[in-house]
């Protein structure tokens, strides 16, 4: 039953094939047996089984919430009341939030059962999950390789069939890139579509929560319950949410898809380019047409991102001061020492690096040259997309330039690591929705195609991804070790 | 723009972040490399481009000025490193 999708689980729970308690018990045993992947920071079996038991009782009494009794897991960036929330950092090693993130509340209200909290790069800063204070996560397809990041634990847990779906967050590709590396489906909605309340902030103008699962259909089922306006998030968008699962079966016929020439250049491995050509052929058979487009400022996305994201990170992370919550150093001699040593001990290397870069970019004399310049470039990148969407319904390209790389392969060079997100960052800078869908295997490692839609076109992205998954079976492929 | 050890020290102070002496040079070289990446933006004329403030150009939403949240001081202070009588404790600031 660990291979069942949420769509199947819902049917099986409804028909009584198995109970939520039986399913959760089975998955908890699998999680314990796959500790070597290190996908979870916290597993709360007692809490999960209690919730599953209640879900079973509620079902027996006639309740039928959309995800009633369905096991999921939350990225450890989402605050969970009474359950430790670390954000992958020593700073929050013992942090037990007094409140739930809105996403957690909404998924609880939909009836889901959380099995635990998934591993991640510290404060979501990373593309390999090697920056977690709680250790690296192994890619279930090849445990000598990274699962991607920052939602690496969420992706690895789904790929290893430890849980059917997980929440993730995406600031520069942190849902889509690990989804591609682990052979699963992951959607980053439009900026503001999913509430950021209780989602620990990294770069507030880019951060967006989303869903990760084996299929687009399951992502739709999760997003149906996650999306929506939240008055507790000042950047939440107050407009109706589409019926994501209801639009999955729309026809793709007549859909116009743009192929940016910048996404098919020398940055892309030839083998991934081949898988994309096959995907394009499949979508053509379904009735989509393809148009070459020009996103001329794409090469500036990584440079702009590595100014904007560190700048916002340095500002957001100033809240960790050793005073109100989080790590505090021992025996501070004065207040400055308290701040400086608590932060030095609590934050890891990559987080410190980004705080320094961001502080530099925002400091007197450099603000215009770096931050304002990057925000102007961001506008140009956004305008490229606006022009493209006058011509096409969505844009197709690779999610990543290569399949999953080896652990420790890119840790010595931050810039090499940053370039992994070359194809995912543009959608974050423009605030657009994007989805990564498995589209092939290269050297027995999964790779993903990325679809980027216009604002609030999540339903269309999920629809096209679902239709693609009706005629291909890449999303059903599993690591050889999974039986 | 090359970042040297002195700049790292200044910036680390602004960020209230203690940096180990033996890592200052490494941070300087990493910062230099990341900032060099950002220099690609210098080739683009952006004189007539507005800086982007919000992806969907939303404006700040205002809410009614009404009391909604109830006091949660005890819950929040239960997770603080040091509190006393409802106050957060820090090393003495005023002699």
């Amino acid at each position: 039953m660990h291979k069942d999708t949420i769509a199947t689980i819902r049917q099986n729970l409804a028909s009584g094939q198995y109970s939520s308690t039986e399913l959760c018990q089975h998955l908890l045993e699998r999680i314990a047996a796959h500790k070597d992947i290190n996908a979870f920071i916290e597993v709360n079996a007692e809490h999960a089984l209690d919730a599953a038991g209640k879900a079973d009782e509620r079902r027996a009494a006639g309740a039928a919430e959309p995800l009633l009794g369905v096991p999921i897991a939350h990225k450890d960036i989402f605050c969970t009341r009474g359950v430790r929330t670390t954000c992958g950092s020593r700073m929050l090693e013992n942090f037990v939030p007094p409140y739930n993130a809105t996403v957690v509340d909404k998924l609880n209200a939909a009836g889901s059962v959380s099995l635990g909290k998934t591993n991640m790069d510290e404060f979501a800063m990373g593309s390999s999950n090697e920056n977690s204070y709680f250790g690296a996560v192994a890619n279930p397809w090849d445990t000598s390789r990274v699962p991607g990041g920052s939602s690496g634990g969420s992706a690895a847990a789904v790929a290893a069939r430890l849980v059917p779906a997980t929440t993730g967050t995406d600031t520069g590709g942190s849902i889509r890139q690990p989804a591609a590396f682990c052979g699963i489906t992951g959607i980053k909605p439009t900026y503001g579509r999913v509430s950021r309340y209780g989602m620990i902030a990294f770069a507030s103008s880019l951060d967006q929560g989303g869903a990760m699962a084996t299929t687009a259909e399951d992502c739709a089922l999760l997003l149906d319950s996650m999306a929506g306006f939240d008055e507790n998030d000042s950047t939440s968008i107050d407009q109706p949410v589409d019926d994501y699962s209801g639009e999955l079966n729309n026809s793709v016929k007549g859909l116009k898809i743009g192929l940016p020439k910048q996404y098919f250049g020398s940055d892309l491995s030839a083998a991934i380019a081949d898988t994309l050509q096959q995907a394009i052929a499949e979508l053509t058979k379904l009735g989509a047409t393809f148009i070459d487009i020009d996103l001329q400022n794409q090469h500036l996305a990584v440079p702009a991102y590595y100014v904007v994201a560190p700048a916002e990170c340095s500002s957001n992370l100033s809240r960790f001061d050793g005073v109100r919550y989080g790590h505090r150093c021992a025996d501070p001699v004065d207040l400055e020492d308290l701040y400086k040593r608590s932060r030095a001990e609590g934050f890891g290397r990559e987080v410190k690096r980004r705080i320094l870069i961001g502080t530099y970019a925002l400091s007197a004399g450099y603000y215009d040259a770096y931050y304002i310049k990057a925000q102007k470039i961001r506008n140009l990148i956004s305008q490229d997309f606006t022009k493209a969407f006058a011509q096409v319904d969505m844009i197709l390209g690779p999610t990543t330039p290569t399949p999953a790389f080896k652990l420790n392969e890119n840790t010595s060079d931050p810039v090499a690591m940053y370039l992994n997100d070359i194809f995912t960052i543009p959608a974050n800078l423009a605030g657009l929705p994007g989805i990564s869908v498995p589209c092939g295997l290269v050297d027995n490692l999964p790779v993903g195609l990325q679809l980027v839609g216009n604002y609030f076109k999540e339903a269309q992205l999920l629809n096209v991804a679902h239709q693609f998954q009706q005629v291909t079976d890449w999303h059903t492929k599993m690591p050889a070790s999974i039986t | 723009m090359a970042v040297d050890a002195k700049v790292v020290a200044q910036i680390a102070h602004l960020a209230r972040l203690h940096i180990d002496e033996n890592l200052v040079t490494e941070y300087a070289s990493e910062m230099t490399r990341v900032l060099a990446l950002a220099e690609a933006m210098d080739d683009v004329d952006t004189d007539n481009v507005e800086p982007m403030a919000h992806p969907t150009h939303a404006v700040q939403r205002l809410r009614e000025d009404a009391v909604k949240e109830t006091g949660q001081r005890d819950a929040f202070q239960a997770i603080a490193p040091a509190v006393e009588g409802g106050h957060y404790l820090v090393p003495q600031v005023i002699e």
Side-chain angles (χ1 to χ4, degrees), chain A residues 179-180 182-186 213-216 279 399 436-441 446-449 468-469 472-477:
Chain A
C182 290
I184 66 163
T185 309
T214 55
T215 65
T399 308
S436 179
V437 185
C439 70
L441 292 176
V447 295
L449 72 80
F468 178 73
Q469 291 179 341
T472 59
D473 64 357
W474 300 113
H475 59 289
T476 67
K477 305 276 187 219

Side-chain angles (χ1 to χ4, degrees), chain A residues 227-272:
Chain A
F229 175 65
D230 178 11
E231 63 176 15
N232 286 333
D233 171 1
S234 64
T235 55
S236 174
I237 307 270
D238 190 2
Q239 80 171 53
V241 177
D242 288 336
D243 179 5
Y244 302 126
S245 50
E247 295 193 30
L248 291 172
N249 292 316
N250 293 352
S251 168
V252 170
K253 201 169 285 247
L255 194 82
K256 280 189 244 163
I257 302 179
L259 299 173
K261 62 180 181 196
Q262 288 81 3
Y263 287 10
F264 292 85
S266 57
D267 294 323
L268 181 63
S269 92
I272 294 186

Side-chain angles (χ1 to χ4, degrees), chain A residues 9-293:
Chain A
I9 288 169
R10 285 186 352 148
Q11 286 170 6
N12 289 344
L13 289 173
S15 69
Q17 175 116 5
Y18 46 71
S19 68
S20 175
T21 303
E22 285 166 325
L23 176 61
C24 290
Q25 181 72 51
H26 174 66
L27 293 177
L28 288 164
E29 283 163 17
R30 284 186 61 76
I31 291 169
H34 289 83
K35 272 213 161 90
D36 53 322
I37 294 172
N38 203 24
F40 284 81
I41 290 175
E42 182 99 3
V43 180
N44 194 332
E46 201 181 326
H47 186 266
L49 289 173
D50 182 56
K54 288 193 174 119
D56 287 332
E57 282 168 25
R58 289 179 44 71
R59 183 176 294 280
E65 288 92 354
L67 300 174
L68 185 60
V70 173
I72 61 162
H74 289 293
K75 183 177 183 180
D76 205 22
I77 198 169
F78 289 101
C79 285
T80 42
R81 186 171 47 236
V83 176
R84 186 171 73 129
T85 301
T86 70
C87 221
S89 181
R90 183 185 182 198
M91 180 60 84
L92 294 176
E93 188 176 7
N94 299 305
F95 175 60
V96 178
Y99 70 108
N100 276 338
T102 297
V103 161
V104 172
D105 270 341
K106 284 176 90 91
L107 285 168
N108 283 346
S112 70
V113 174
S114 174
L115 301 184
K117 308 294 290 289
T118 58
N119 206 340
M120 56 181 285
D121 281 303
E122 183 178 10
F123 286 103
M125 297 173 202
S127 308
S128 68
N129 217 119
E130 290 165 292
N131 298 332
S132 169
Y133 176 65
F134 302 92
V137 174
N139 189 320
W141 287 82
D142 174 352
T143 52
S144 71
R145 291 178 187 273
V146 303
S150 66
S151 311
S154 287
V158 172
R161 304 303 191 262
L162 307 181
V163 64
T166 49
T167 55
T169 62
D170 192 315
T171 303
S174 282
I175 286 175
R176 292 161 287 158
Q177 185 252 20
F181 278 10
C182 290
I184 66 163
T185 309
I187 182 164
K188 175 203 100 71
T190 307
Y191 178 77
R193 181 73 295 184
V194 168
S195 170
R196 293 188 298 111
Y197 181 72
M199 188 178 110
I200 296 169
F202 156 20
S204 300
S205 76
L206 304 164
D207 296 343
Q208 177 59 206
M212 306 171 79
T214 55
T215 65
E217 181 179 22
D218 281 6
C219 285
L221 288 166
L222 214 62
L223 204 57
D224 277 336
S225 296
M226 288 172 74
F229 175 65
D230 178 11
E231 63 176 15
N232 286 333
D233 171 1
S234 64
T235 55
S236 174
I237 307 270
D238 190 2
Q239 80 171 53
V241 177
D242 288 336
D243 179 5
Y244 302 126
S245 50
E247 295 193 30
L248 291 172
N249 292 316
N250 293 352
S251 168
V252 170
K253 201 169 285 247
L255 194 82
K256 280 189 244 163
I257 302 179
L259 299 173
K261 62 180 181 196
Q262 288 81 3
Y263 287 10
F264 292 85
S266 57
D267 294 323
L268 181 63
S269 92
I272 294 186
D274 283 347
T275 66
L276 291 176
Q277 290 307 329
Q278 288 166 31
I280 289 167
E282 289 295 342
L283 289 166
T284 304
K285 277 192 250 167
L286 291 173
T289 54
F290 288 85
I291 299 165
D292 290 328
I293 59 168

Side-chain angles (χ1 to χ4, degrees), chain A residues 219-476:
Chain A
C219 285
L221 288 166
L222 214 62
L223 204 57
D224 277 336
S225 296
M226 288 172 74
F229 175 65
D230 178 11
E231 63 176 15
N232 286 333
D233 171 1
S234 64
T235 55
S236 174
I237 307 270
D238 190 2
Q239 80 171 53
V241 177
D242 288 336
D243 179 5
Y244 302 126
S245 50
E247 295 193 30
L248 291 172
N249 292 316
N250 293 352
S251 168
V252 170
K253 201 169 285 247
L255 194 82
K256 280 189 244 163
I257 302 179
L259 299 173
K261 62 180 181 196
Q262 288 81 3
Y263 287 10
F264 292 85
S266 57
D267 294 323
L268 181 63
S269 92
I272 294 186
D274 283 347
T275 66
L276 291 176
Q277 290 307 329
Q278 288 166 31
I280 289 167
E282 289 295 342
L283 289 166
T284 304
K285 277 192 250 167
L286 291 173
T289 54
F290 288 85
I291 299 165
D292 290 328
I293 59 168
D294 188 6
L295 298 173
Q296 57 175 342
N297 293 297
Q298 293 298 294
H299 64 291
L300 298 169
V302 172
Y305 178 85
Y306 278 98
V307 171
V308 173
E312 295 184 9
C313 128
S314 72
S315 171
N316 267 324
L317 270 57
S318 65
R319 74 191 57 176
F320 299 101
D321 57 4
V323 175
R324 291 157 303 151
Y325 53 89
H327 178 76
R328 170 179 252 182
C329 67
D331 306 320
V333 297
D334 57 23
L335 189 58
E336 190 171 302
D337 183 46
L338 166 68
Y339 291 149
K340 287 186 173 176
R341 275 199 299 125
S342 297
R343 289 162 62 76
E345 292 169 8
F347 293 139
R349 191 65 200 277
E350 177 65 19
V351 171
K352 284 182 203 166
R353 188 188 288 143
R354 295 203 197 186
I355 289 175
L356 291 175
I357 292 163
T359 306
Y360 182 88
L362 292 176
S363 63
Y366 296 110
Y367 181 74
D368 285 348
Y370 289 104
Y371 192 70
I372 293 295
K373 182 80 183 183
Q375 292 288 60
K376 288 181 169 188
I377 296 289
R378 197 173 167 184
N379 205 349
L380 292 177
I381 290 167
S382 179
Q383 287 171 17
D384 285 350
F385 278 115
T386 304
K387 277 181 222 152
F389 285 124
Q391 271 186 284
V392 298
D393 299 304
M394 62 178 62
I395 292 166
L396 183 147
T399 308
T400 61
T402 64
F405 46 88
K406 294 261 189 193
L407 286 156
N408 301 317
E409 188 177 322
N410 281 330
T411 42
S412 60
D413 182 359
V415 172
M417 185 69 93
Y418 295 170
L419 291 172
N420 275 294
D421 295 330
I422 193 166
F423 299 126
T424 47
I425 281 174
N428 297 85
L429 290 174
L432 295 164
I435 189 169
S436 179
V437 185
C439 70
L441 292 176
V442 170
D443 299 330
N444 208 34
L445 293 169
V447 295
L449 72 80
Q450 177 180 219
L451 298 169
V452 174
N454 209 342
Y455 296 107
F456 304 106
K457 293 290 186 186
E458 290 81 7
Q460 198 178 38
L461 293 180
L462 289 160
N463 166 220
V464 174
H466 179 68
Q467 291 305 311
F468 178 73
Q469 291 179 341
Q470 301 309 295
V471 293
T472 59
D473 64 357
W474 300 113
H475 59 289
T476 67

